[in-house]
Every structure is written in C-alpha cells, then in structure tokens.
PDB file of all heavy atoms in Angstrom:
ATOM      1  N   VAL I  26     102.449 110.142 106.187  1.00 96.00           N
ATOM      2  CA  VAL I  26     101.182 110.589 106.772  1.00 96.00           C
ATOM      3  C   VAL I  26     101.428 111.373 108.058  1.00 96.00           C
ATOM      4  O   VAL I  26     100.710 112.321 108.373  1.00 96.00           O
ATOM      5  CB  VAL I  26     100.258 109.378 107.031  1.00 96.00           C
ATOM      6  CG1 VAL I  26      99.043 109.784 107.835  1.00 96.00           C
ATOM      7  CG2 VAL I  26      99.817 108.762 105.705  1.00 96.00           C
ATOM      8  N   ALA I  27     102.488 110.985 108.793  1.00 96.00           N
ATOM      9  CA  ALA I  27     102.839 111.687 110.034  1.00 96.00           C
ATOM     10  C   ALA I  27     103.591 112.987 109.775  1.00 96.00           C
ATOM     11  O   ALA I  27     103.857 113.749 110.701  1.00 96.00           O
ATOM     12  CB  ALA I  27     103.669 110.774 110.928  1.00 96.00           C
ATOM     13  N   GLY I  28     103.968 113.231 108.507  1.00 96.00           N
ATOM     14  CA  GLY I  28     104.652 114.480 108.166  1.00 96.00           C
ATOM     15  C   GLY I  28     106.159 114.404 108.144  1.00 96.00           C
ATOM     16  O   GLY I  28     106.827 115.416 107.957  1.00 96.00           O
ATOM     17  N   GLY I  29     106.716 113.201 108.329  1.00 96.00           N
ATOM     18  CA  GLY I  29     108.175 113.067 108.353  1.00 96.00           C
ATOM     19  C   GLY I  29     108.811 113.189 106.982  1.00 96.00           C
ATOM     20  O   GLY I  29     109.927 113.689 106.844  1.00 96.00           O
ATOM     21  N   VAL I  30     108.112 112.708 105.949  1.00 98.00           N
ATOM     22  CA  VAL I  30     108.561 112.841 104.563  1.00 98.00           C
ATOM     23  C   VAL I  30     107.376 113.324 103.736  1.00 98.00           C
ATOM     24  O   VAL I  30     106.233 113.339 104.215  1.00 98.00           O
ATOM     25  CB  VAL I  30     109.109 111.513 103.989  1.00 98.00           C
ATOM     26  CG1 VAL I  30     110.332 111.049 104.773  1.00 98.00           C
ATOM     27  CG2 VAL I  30     108.032 110.431 103.980  1.00 98.00           C
ATOM     28  N   GLN I  31     107.640 113.725 102.500  1.00 98.00           N
ATOM     29  CA  GLN I  31     106.569 114.290 101.670  1.00 98.00           C
ATOM     30  C   GLN I  31     106.201 113.430 100.452  1.00 98.00           C
ATOM     31  O   GLN I  31     105.148 113.632  99.866  1.00 98.00           O
ATOM     32  CB  GLN I  31     106.981 115.687 101.176  1.00 98.00           C
ATOM     33  CG  GLN I  31     107.027 116.747 102.262  1.00 98.00           C
ATOM     34  CD  GLN I  31     108.173 116.540 103.248  1.00 98.00           C
ATOM     35  OE1 GLN I  31     109.317 116.311 102.831  1.00 98.00           O
ATOM     36  NE2 GLN I  31     107.865 116.602 104.535  1.00 98.00           N
ATOM     37  N   VAL I  32     107.062 112.482 100.104  1.00 98.00           N
ATOM     38  CA  VAL I  32     106.819 111.669  98.911  1.00 98.00           C
ATOM     39  C   VAL I  32     107.191 110.212  99.189  1.00 98.00           C
ATOM     40  O   VAL I  32     108.213 109.947  99.823  1.00 98.00           O
ATOM     41  CB  VAL I  32     107.666 112.158  97.707  1.00 98.00           C
ATOM     42  CG1 VAL I  32     107.236 111.438  96.432  1.00 98.00           C
ATOM     43  CG2 VAL I  32     107.587 113.665  97.545  1.00 98.00           C
ATOM     44  N   VAL I  33     106.352 109.289  98.707  1.00 98.00           N
ATOM     45  CA  VAL I  33     106.697 107.870  98.775  1.00 98.00           C
ATOM     46  C   VAL I  33     106.488 107.260  97.389  1.00 98.00           C
ATOM     47  O   VAL I  33     105.355 107.061  96.953  1.00 98.00           O
ATOM     48  CB  VAL I  33     105.860 107.107  99.813  1.00 98.00           C
ATOM     49  CG1 VAL I  33     106.139 105.598  99.716  1.00 98.00           C
ATOM     50  CG2 VAL I  33     106.175 107.594 101.217  1.00 98.00           C
ATOM     51  N   PRO I  34     107.574 106.994  96.666  1.00 97.00           N
ATOM     52  CA  PRO I  34     107.466 106.286  95.394  1.00 97.00           C
ATOM     53  C   PRO I  34     107.467 104.783  95.659  1.00 97.00           C
ATOM     54  O   PRO I  34     108.502 104.182  95.924  1.00 97.00           O
ATOM     55  CB  PRO I  34     108.736 106.728  94.651  1.00 97.00           C
ATOM     56  CG  PRO I  34     109.716 107.005  95.747  1.00 97.00           C
ATOM     57  CD  PRO I  34     108.942 107.408  96.964  1.00 97.00           C
ATOM     58  N   CYS I  35     106.299 104.178  95.628  1.00 94.00           N
ATOM     59  CA  CYS I  35     106.194 102.732  95.823  1.00 94.00           C
ATOM     60  C   CYS I  35     105.095 102.230  94.905  1.00 94.00           C
ATOM     61  O   CYS I  35     104.417 103.021  94.245  1.00 94.00           O
ATOM     62  CB  CYS I  35     105.881 102.391  97.287  1.00 94.00           C
ATOM     63  SG  CYS I  35     104.231 102.890  97.838  1.00 94.00           S
ATOM     64  N   SER I  36     104.909 100.937  94.852  1.00 91.00           N
ATOM     65  CA  SER I  36     103.843 100.406  94.004  1.00 91.00           C
ATOM     66  C   SER I  36     102.481 100.821  94.560  1.00 91.00           C
ATOM     67  O   SER I  36     102.313 100.976  95.775  1.00 91.00           O
ATOM     68  CB  SER I  36     103.935  98.881  93.919  1.00 91.00           C
ATOM     69  OG  SER I  36     103.613  98.288  95.165  1.00 91.00           O
ATOM     70  N   ILE I  37     101.523 100.976  93.681  1.00 87.00           N
ATOM     71  CA  ILE I  37     100.174 101.346  94.107  1.00 87.00           C
ATOM     72  C   ILE I  37      99.572 100.286  95.040  1.00 87.00           C
ATOM     73  O   ILE I  37      98.929 100.643  96.030  1.00 87.00           O
ATOM     74  CB  ILE I  37      99.279 101.622  92.890  1.00 87.00           C
ATOM     75  CG1 ILE I  37      99.725 102.925  92.204  1.00 87.00           C
ATOM     76  CG2 ILE I  37      97.803 101.719  93.290  1.00 87.00           C
ATOM     77  CD1 ILE I  37      98.911 103.333  91.004  1.00 87.00           C
ATOM     78  N   PRO I  38      99.771  98.979  94.784  1.00 85.00           N
ATOM     79  CA  PRO I  38      99.237  97.989  95.721  1.00 85.00           C
ATOM     80  C   PRO I  38      99.745  98.165  97.148  1.00 85.00           C
ATOM     81  O   PRO I  38      99.005  97.959  98.102  1.00 85.00           O
ATOM     82  CB  PRO I  38      99.705  96.655  95.122  1.00 85.00           C
ATOM     83  CG  PRO I  38      99.819  96.934  93.670  1.00 85.00           C
ATOM     84  CD  PRO I  38     100.320  98.338  93.572  1.00 85.00           C
ATOM     85  N   GLU I  39     101.009  98.548  97.306  1.00 88.00           N
ATOM     86  CA  GLU I  39     101.549  98.739  98.653  1.00 88.00           C
ATOM     87  C   GLU I  39     100.889  99.923  99.357  1.00 88.00           C
ATOM     88  O   GLU I  39     100.823  99.966 100.579  1.00 88.00           O
ATOM     89  CB  GLU I  39     103.062  98.945  98.575  1.00 88.00           C
ATOM     90  CG  GLU I  39     103.827  97.688  98.218  1.00 88.00           C
ATOM     91  CD  GLU I  39     105.316  97.916  98.118  1.00 88.00           C
ATOM     92  OE1 GLU I  39     105.738  98.773  97.324  1.00 88.00           O
ATOM     93  OE2 GLU I  39     106.072  97.225  98.831  1.00 88.00           O
ATOM     94  N   ALA I  40     100.416 100.877  98.564  1.00 92.00           N
ATOM     95  CA  ALA I  40      99.775 102.063  99.136  1.00 92.00           C
ATOM     96  C   ALA I  40      98.265 101.914  99.229  1.00 92.00           C
ATOM     97  O   ALA I  40      97.575 102.827  99.698  1.00 92.00           O
ATOM     98  CB  ALA I  40     100.120 103.293  98.297  1.00 92.00           C
ATOM     99  N   ARG I  41      97.748 100.769  98.793  1.00 90.00           N
ATOM    100  CA  ARG I  41      96.300 100.644  98.633  1.00 90.00           C
ATOM    101  C   ARG I  41      95.502 100.925  99.892  1.00 90.00           C
ATOM    102  O   ARG I  41      94.477 101.616  99.847  1.00 90.00           O
ATOM    103  CB  ARG I  41      95.947  99.256  98.111  1.00 90.00           C
ATOM    104  CG  ARG I  41      94.455  99.098  97.915  1.00 90.00           C
ATOM    105  CD  ARG I  41      94.092  98.015  96.953  1.00 90.00           C
ATOM    106  NE  ARG I  41      92.675  98.095  96.624  1.00 90.00           N
ATOM    107  CZ  ARG I  41      92.089  97.316  95.735  1.00 90.00           C
ATOM    108  NH1 ARG I  41      92.796  96.429  95.071  1.00 90.00           N
ATOM    109  NH2 ARG I  41      90.799  97.427  95.483  1.00 90.00           N
ATOM    110  N   ALA I  42      95.931 100.368 101.026  1.00 90.00           N
ATOM    111  CA  ALA I  42      95.166 100.562 102.264  1.00 90.00           C
ATOM    112  C   ALA I  42      95.020 102.048 102.591  1.00 90.00           C
ATOM    113  O   ALA I  42      93.930 102.510 102.956  1.00 90.00           O
ATOM    114  CB  ALA I  42      95.831  99.826 103.421  1.00 90.00           C
ATOM    115  N   MET I  43      96.099 102.791 102.444  1.00 95.00           N
ATOM    116  CA  MET I  43      96.043 104.218 102.749  1.00 95.00           C
ATOM    117  C   MET I  43      95.351 105.010 101.652  1.00 95.00           C
ATOM    118  O   MET I  43      94.744 106.048 101.915  1.00 95.00           O
ATOM    119  CB  MET I  43      97.447 104.754 103.011  1.00 95.00           C
ATOM    120  CG  MET I  43      98.038 104.278 104.321  1.00 95.00           C
ATOM    121  SD  MET I  43      99.460 105.256 104.852  1.00 95.00           S
ATOM    122  CE  MET I  43      99.798 104.485 106.437  1.00 95.00           C
ATOM    123  N   LEU I  44      95.440 104.520 100.412  1.00 94.00           N
ATOM    124  CA  LEU I  44      94.695 105.157  99.327  1.00 94.00           C
ATOM    125  C   LEU I  44      93.201 105.019  99.574  1.00 94.00           C
ATOM    126  O   LEU I  44      92.438 105.994  99.481  1.00 94.00           O
ATOM    127  CB  LEU I  44      95.063 104.515  97.983  1.00 94.00           C
ATOM    128  CG  LEU I  44      96.408 104.901  97.364  1.00 94.00           C
ATOM    129  CD1 LEU I  44      96.746 103.959  96.218  1.00 94.00           C
ATOM    130  CD2 LEU I  44      96.379 106.346  96.866  1.00 94.00           C
ATOM    131  N   ASP I  45      92.776 103.807  99.908  1.00 93.00           N
ATOM    132  CA  ASP I  45      91.357 103.550 100.140  1.00 93.00           C
ATOM    133  C   ASP I  45      90.849 104.250 101.395  1.00 93.00           C
ATOM    134  O   ASP I  45      89.667 104.594 101.484  1.00 93.00           O
ATOM    135  CB  ASP I  45      91.098 102.046 100.243  1.00 93.00           C
ATOM    136  CG  ASP I  45      91.299 101.339  98.899  1.00 93.00           C
ATOM    137  OD1 ASP I  45      91.416 102.045  97.873  1.00 93.00           O
ATOM    138  OD2 ASP I  45      91.337 100.090  98.886  1.00 93.00           O
ATOM    139  N   ALA I  46      91.754 104.467 102.351  1.00 96.00           N
ATOM    140  CA  ALA I  46      91.373 105.169 103.587  1.00 96.00           C
ATOM    141  C   ALA I  46      91.372 106.681 103.396  1.00 96.00           C
ATOM    142  O   ALA I  46      90.995 107.423 104.309  1.00 96.00           O
ATOM    143  CB  ALA I  46      92.321 104.786 104.721  1.00 96.00           C
ATOM    144  N   GLY I  47      91.811 107.132 102.227  1.00 96.00           N
ATOM    145  CA  GLY I  47      91.825 108.569 101.951  1.00 96.00           C
ATOM    146  C   GLY I  47      92.970 109.317 102.601  1.00 96.00           C
ATOM    147  O   GLY I  47      92.948 110.546 102.692  1.00 96.00           O
ATOM    148  N   LYS I  48      94.016 108.577 103.017  1.00 97.00           N
ATOM    149  CA  LYS I  48      95.140 109.230 103.687  1.00 97.00           C
ATOM    150  C   LYS I  48      96.242 109.656 102.718  1.00 97.00           C
ATOM    151  O   LYS I  48      97.019 110.559 103.024  1.00 97.00           O
ATOM    152  CB  LYS I  48      95.724 108.291 104.752  1.00 97.00           C
ATOM    153  CG  LYS I  48      94.770 108.024 105.912  1.00 97.00           C
ATOM    154  CD  LYS I  48      95.422 107.136 106.960  1.00 97.00           C
ATOM    155  CE  LYS I  48      94.476 106.904 108.134  1.00 97.00           C
ATOM    156  NZ  LYS I  48      95.099 106.038 109.180  1.00 97.00           N
ATOM    157  N   VAL I  49      96.326 108.974 101.585  1.00 97.00           N
ATOM    158  CA  VAL I  49      97.340 109.335 100.591  1.00 97.00           C
ATOM    159  C   VAL I  49      96.695 109.412  99.202  1.00 97.00           C
ATOM    160  O   VAL I  49      95.603 108.876  98.974  1.00 97.00           O
ATOM    161  CB  VAL I  49      98.530 108.343 100.568  1.00 97.00           C
ATOM    162  CG1 VAL I  49      99.144 108.183 101.939  1.00 97.00           C
ATOM    163  CG2 VAL I  49      98.100 107.004 100.018  1.00 97.00           C
ATOM    164  N   ARG I  50      97.396 110.064  98.292  1.00 97.00           N
ATOM    165  CA  ARG I  50      96.929 110.218  96.917  1.00 97.00           C
ATOM    166  C   ARG I  50      98.044 109.793  95.976  1.00 97.00           C
ATOM    167  O   ARG I  50      99.210 110.142  96.184  1.00 97.00           O
ATOM    168  CB  ARG I  50      96.541 111.680  96.673  1.00 97.00           C
ATOM    169  CG  ARG I  50      96.060 111.985  95.266  1.00 97.00           C
ATOM    170  CD  ARG I  50      95.460 113.378  95.131  1.00 97.00           C
ATOM    171  NE  ARG I  50      96.395 114.439  95.453  1.00 97.00           N
ATOM    172  CZ  ARG I  50      96.325 115.206  96.523  1.00 97.00           C
ATOM    173  NH1 ARG I  50      95.351 115.032  97.399  1.00 97.00           N
ATOM    174  NH2 ARG I  50      97.220 116.159  96.746  1.00 97.00           N
ATOM    175  N   SER I  51      97.692 109.034  94.959  1.00 97.00           N
ATOM    176  CA  SER I  51      98.678 108.611  93.967  1.00 97.00           C
ATOM    177  C   SER I  51      98.625 109.565  92.780  1.00 97.00           C
ATOM    178  O   SER I  51      97.551 109.800  92.214  1.00 97.00           O
ATOM    179  CB  SER I  51      98.392 107.178  93.508  1.00 97.00           C
ATOM    180  OG  SER I  51      99.430 106.703  92.689  1.00 97.00           O
ATOM    181  N   LEU I  52      99.772 110.108  92.403  1.00 98.00           N
ATOM    182  CA  LEU I  52      99.830 111.102  91.339  1.00 98.00           C
ATOM    183  C   LEU I  52     100.092 110.501  89.967  1.00 98.00           C
ATOM    184  O   LEU I  52      99.637 111.039  88.949  1.00 98.00           O
ATOM    185  CB  LEU I  52     100.934 112.129  91.643  1.00 98.00           C
ATOM    186  CG  LEU I  52     100.808 112.922  92.946  1.00 98.00           C
ATOM    187  CD1 LEU I  52     101.975 113.896  93.072  1.00 98.00           C
ATOM    188  CD2 LEU I  52      99.482 113.662  93.008  1.00 98.00           C
ATOM    189  N   VAL I  53     100.833 109.391  89.932  1.00 98.00           N
ATOM    190  CA  VAL I  53     101.250 108.853  88.644  1.00 98.00           C
ATOM    191  C   VAL I  53     101.749 107.428  88.826  1.00 98.00           C
ATOM    192  O   VAL I  53     102.096 107.012  89.939  1.00 98.00           O
ATOM    193  CB  VAL I  53     102.361 109.752  88.040  1.00 98.00           C
ATOM    194  CG1 VAL I  53     103.699 109.494  88.729  1.00 98.00           C
ATOM    195  CG2 VAL I  53     102.483 109.590  86.539  1.00 98.00           C
ATOM    196  N   ILE I  54     101.777 106.650  87.733  1.00 97.00           N
ATOM    197  CA  ILE I  54     102.343 105.314  87.757  1.00 97.00           C
ATOM    198  C   ILE I  54     103.427 105.233  86.684  1.00 97.00           C
ATOM    199  O   ILE I  54     103.244 105.736  85.574  1.00 97.00           O
ATOM    200  CB  ILE I  54     101.259 104.238  87.537  1.00 97.00           C
ATOM    201  CG1 ILE I  54     101.853 102.827  87.684  1.00 97.00           C
ATOM    202  CG2 ILE I  54     100.581 104.397  86.183  1.00 97.00           C
ATOM    203  CD1 ILE I  54     100.792 101.740  87.728  1.00 97.00           C
ATOM    204  N   MET I  55     104.568 104.659  87.032  1.00 95.00           N
ATOM    205  CA  MET I  55     105.708 104.589  86.113  1.00 95.00           C
ATOM    206  C   MET I  55     105.630 103.319  85.269  1.00 95.00           C
ATOM    207  O   MET I  55     106.420 102.388  85.411  1.00 95.00           O
ATOM    208  CB  MET I  55     107.021 104.624  86.899  1.00 95.00           C
ATOM    209  CG  MET I  55     107.219 105.878  87.714  1.00 95.00           C
ATOM    210  SD  MET I  55     108.814 105.854  88.577  1.00 95.00           S
ATOM    211  CE  MET I  55     108.567 107.154  89.786  1.00 95.00           C
ATOM    212  N   ASP I  56     104.640 103.278  84.383  1.00 92.00           N
ATOM    213  CA  ASP I  56     104.417 102.101  83.564  1.00 92.00           C
ATOM    214  C   ASP I  56     103.811 102.541  82.234  1.00 92.00           C
ATOM    215  O   ASP I  56     103.374 103.686  82.086  1.00 92.00           O
ATOM    216  CB  ASP I  56     103.471 101.141  84.291  1.00 92.00           C
ATOM    217  CG  ASP I  56     103.432  99.756  83.673  1.00 92.00           C
ATOM    218  OD1 ASP I  56     104.439  99.344  83.066  1.00 92.00           O
ATOM    219  OD2 ASP I  56     102.398  99.083  83.790  1.00 92.00           O
ATOM    220  N   GLY I  57     103.769 101.613  81.287  1.00 88.00           N
ATOM    221  CA  GLY I  57     103.206 101.941  79.988  1.00 88.00           C
ATOM    222  C   GLY I  57     101.694 101.947  79.956  1.00 88.00           C
ATOM    223  O   GLY I  57     101.081 102.415  79.003  1.00 88.00           O
ATOM    224  N   LYS I  58     101.074 101.398  81.022  1.00 91.00           N
ATOM    225  CA  LYS I  58      99.610 101.373  81.077  1.00 91.00           C
ATOM    226  C   LYS I  58      99.149 101.659  82.501  1.00 91.00           C
ATOM    227  O   LYS I  58      99.879 101.471  83.467  1.00 91.00           O
ATOM    228  CB  LYS I  58      99.083 100.026  80.612  1.00 91.00           C
ATOM    229  CG  LYS I  58      99.575  98.835  81.429  1.00 91.00           C
ATOM    230  CD  LYS I  58      99.085  97.529  80.845  1.00 91.00           C
ATOM    231  CE  LYS I  58      99.508  96.319  81.677  1.00 91.00           C
ATOM    232  NZ  LYS I  58     100.957  96.163  81.753  1.00 91.00           N
ATOM    233  N   ARG I  59      97.903 102.104  82.611  1.00 92.00           N
ATOM    234  CA  ARG I  59      97.338 102.429  83.917  1.00 92.00           C
ATOM    235  C   ARG I  59      97.003 101.162  84.704  1.00 92.00           C
ATOM    236  O   ARG I  59      96.777 100.098  84.123  1.00 92.00           O
ATOM    237  CB  ARG I  59      96.064 103.278  83.749  1.00 92.00           C
ATOM    238  CG  ARG I  59      96.313 104.627  83.082  1.00 92.00           C
ATOM    239  CD  ARG I  59      95.091 105.516  83.177  1.00 92.00           C
ATOM    240  NE  ARG I  59      95.321 106.810  82.524  1.00 92.00           N
ATOM    241  CZ  ARG I  59      94.582 107.892  82.750  1.00 92.00           C
ATOM    242  NH1 ARG I  59      93.562 107.845  83.600  1.00 92.00           N
ATOM    243  NH2 ARG I  59      94.853 109.023  82.125  1.00 92.00           N
ATOM    244  N   ASN I  60      96.978 101.298  86.031  1.00 88.00           N
ATOM    245  CA  ASN I  60      96.581 100.189  86.893  1.00 88.00           C
ATOM    246  C   ASN I  60      95.058 100.049  86.831  1.00 88.00           C
ATOM    247  O   ASN I  60      94.343 101.011  87.084  1.00 88.00           O
ATOM    248  CB  ASN I  60      97.026 100.477  88.336  1.00 88.00           C
ATOM    249  CG  ASN I  60      96.785  99.296  89.264  1.00 88.00           C
ATOM    250  OD1 ASN I  60      95.685  98.779  89.354  1.00 88.00           O
ATOM    251  ND2 ASN I  60      97.823  98.886  89.975  1.00 88.00           N
ATOM    252  N   PRO I  61      94.540  98.863  86.463  1.00 86.00           N
ATOM    253  CA  PRO I  61      93.088  98.706  86.310  1.00 86.00           C
ATOM    254  C   PRO I  61      92.295  98.958  87.589  1.00 86.00           C
ATOM    255  O   PRO I  61      91.112  99.291  87.523  1.00 86.00           O
ATOM    256  CB  PRO I  61      92.941  97.259  85.833  1.00 86.00           C
ATOM    257  CG  PRO I  61      94.199  96.572  86.236  1.00 86.00           C
ATOM    258  CD  PRO I  61      95.266  97.614  86.161  1.00 86.00           C
ATOM    259  N   VAL I  62      92.934  98.796  88.755  1.00 85.00           N
ATOM    260  CA  VAL I  62      92.230  99.050  90.011  1.00 85.00           C
ATOM    261  C   VAL I  62      92.091 100.551  90.262  1.00 85.00           C
ATOM    262  O   VAL I  62      91.135 101.005  90.894  1.00 85.00           O
ATOM    263  CB  VAL I  62      92.963  98.370  91.185  1.00 85.00           C
ATOM    264  CG1 VAL I  62      92.249  98.634  92.511  1.00 85.00           C
ATOM    265  CG2 VAL I  62      93.056  96.860  90.941  1.00 85.00           C
ATOM    266  N   TYR I  63      93.051 101.340  89.744  1.00 91.00           N
ATOM    267  CA  TYR I  63      93.020 102.796  89.898  1.00 91.00           C
ATOM    268  C   TYR I  63      93.176 103.441  88.515  1.00 91.00           C
ATOM    269  O   TYR I  63      94.197 104.059  88.214  1.00 91.00           O
ATOM    270  CB  TYR I  63      94.135 103.264  90.844  1.00 91.00           C
ATOM    271  CG  TYR I  63      93.958 102.769  92.253  1.00 91.00           C
ATOM    272  CD1 TYR I  63      94.569 101.591  92.688  1.00 91.00           C
ATOM    273  CD2 TYR I  63      93.146 103.460  93.155  1.00 91.00           C
ATOM    274  CE1 TYR I  63      94.380 101.126  93.975  1.00 91.00           C
ATOM    275  CE2 TYR I  63      92.955 102.996  94.445  1.00 91.00           C
ATOM    276  CZ  TYR I  63      93.567 101.834  94.848  1.00 91.00           C
ATOM    277  OH  TYR I  63      93.385 101.358  96.122  1.00 91.00           O
ATOM    278  N   PRO I  64      92.164 103.293  87.682  1.00 93.00           N
ATOM    279  CA  PRO I  64      92.266 103.772  86.294  1.00 93.00           C
ATOM    280  C   PRO I  64      92.393 105.285  86.154  1.00 93.00           C
ATOM    281  O   PRO I  64      92.761 105.765  85.078  1.00 93.00           O
ATOM    282  CB  PRO I  64      90.962 103.270  85.664  1.00 93.00           C
ATOM    283  CG  PRO I  64      90.007 103.144  86.806  1.00 93.00           C
ATOM    284  CD  PRO I  64      90.851 102.693  87.963  1.00 93.00           C
ATOM    285  N   ASN I  65      92.108 106.030  87.216  1.00 94.00           N
ATOM    286  CA  ASN I  65      92.206 107.493  87.141  1.00 94.00           C
ATOM    287  C   ASN I  65      93.626 108.003  87.383  1.00 94.00           C
ATOM    288  O   ASN I  65      93.892 109.202  87.224  1.00 94.00           O
ATOM    289  CB  ASN I  65      91.247 108.151  88.136  1.00 94.00           C
ATOM    290  CG  ASN I  65      89.787 107.912  87.785  1.00 94.00           C
ATOM    291  OD1 ASN I  65      89.449 107.812  86.603  1.00 94.00           O
ATOM    292  ND2 ASN I  65      88.945 107.783  88.791  1.00 94.00           N
ATOM    293  N   VAL I  66      94.527 107.110  87.790  1.00 96.00           N
ATOM    294  CA  VAL I  66      95.921 107.511  88.006  1.00 96.00           C
ATOM    295  C   VAL I  66      96.647 107.438  86.662  1.00 96.00           C
ATOM    296  O   VAL I  66      96.765 106.357  86.084  1.00 96.00           O
ATOM    297  CB  VAL I  66      96.624 106.601  89.029  1.00 96.00           C
ATOM    298  CG1 VAL I  66      98.085 107.013  89.203  1.00 96.00           C
ATOM    299  CG2 VAL I  66      95.899 106.657  90.372  1.00 96.00           C
ATOM    300  N   PRO I  67      97.141 108.564  86.145  1.00 97.00           N
ATOM    301  CA  PRO I  67      97.780 108.563  84.822  1.00 97.00           C
ATOM    302  C   PRO I  67      99.153 107.911  84.834  1.00 97.00           C
ATOM    303  O   PRO I  67      99.785 107.773  85.884  1.00 97.00           O
ATOM    304  CB  PRO I  67      97.886 110.049  84.486  1.00 97.00           C
ATOM    305  CG  PRO I  67      98.007 110.711  85.821  1.00 97.00           C
ATOM    306  CD  PRO I  67      97.129 109.906  86.750  1.00 97.00           C
ATOM    307  N   THR I  68      99.607 107.515  83.672  1.00 97.00           N
ATOM    308  CA  THR I  68     100.980 107.033  83.544  1.00 97.00           C
ATOM    309  C   THR I  68     101.911 108.252  83.500  1.00 97.00           C
ATOM    310  O   THR I  68     101.473 109.370  83.204  1.00 97.00           O
ATOM    311  CB  THR I  68     101.173 106.212  82.263  1.00 97.00           C
ATOM    312  OG1 THR I  68     101.027 107.077  81.123  1.00 97.00           O
ATOM    313  CG2 THR I  68     100.156 105.081  82.176  1.00 97.00           C
TER     314      THR I  68
END
C-alpha cells in the first residue's frame, strides 16, 4: 500500500481488512473453488 512492493500473494483472509477498506484488490485465488466470502474473486 505504501508503494514498496507491487504484489502480495497471501491468503484472502489475511488481506481481508485491507480488502474491506478498499486499499487492496484480490485478482485470483489458487484453489479449486472460490472463497465464499469473496465469490467474485475467480480461481
């Protein structure tokens, strides 16, 4: 968020606070099914 790096591959739950605050965007999930809390994030 401060601009030091451009990508953070981590679990969606770990990013949730910043996702909900509108500071970060999740592009994809590395799983066979979508996360039910964020169903718009594709696998």
